Amino acid sequence: MRAAKRHDPVGEHILDADIAAFEKVREELERTHLDQFALFFGGKFVGVYPDFDSAGRTALSLSSKGPFFIQQIGSPIGLDSDSAMHLHHR
């Protein structure tokens, strides 16, 4: 049984901004950092990390509130709860 999802318009707006920021730099990241992990916070590119955990630790050091967007470079963007690399820490 799956828990009901809460509608979070603020989080969705921030995620949309982060995805748009990723799309702006996607080609360059795919040329230079394929298979690494890009971190976006507040609609801005933060950096590239060798693994998801490193990106997540950096995200939490920026703000304990999030949300953050972490995307493996070269992989399709997943927006469902099973494939999205969207980290929200409360």
Side-chain angles (χ1 to χ4, degrees):
M1 175 182 250
R2 279 193 149 164
K5 293 182 183 182
R6 289 185 301 151
H7 181 68
D8 179 7
V10 173
E12 288 173 13
H13 174 73
I14 293 169
L15 181 58
D16 288 344
D18 288 343
I19 291 171
F22 172 70
E23 291 297 345
K24 287 181 183 177
V25 296
R26 178 194 287 257
E27 287 184 22
E28 176 65 21
L29 292 174
E30 288 178 349
R31 278 195 303 275
T32 58
H33 299 287
L34 194 62
D35 295 327
Q36 294 183 348
F37 292 81
L39 169 62
F40 295 82
F41 175 59
K44 296 181 180 157
F45 173 64
V46 175
V48 174
Y49 302 87
D51 54 58
F52 183 84
D53 289 341
S54 298
R57 282 191 298 274
T58 300
L60 293 175
S61 74
L62 294 172
S63 170
S64 63
K65 293 186 180 183
F68 308 98
F69 179 67
I70 300 171
Q71 174 65 37
Q72 186 171 23
I73 300 162
S75 296
I77 296 175
L79 297 180
D80 61 64
S81 61
D82 295 327
S83 61
M85 293 189 186
H86 178 242
L87 173 64
H88 181 78
H89 181 77
R90 293 172 198 208

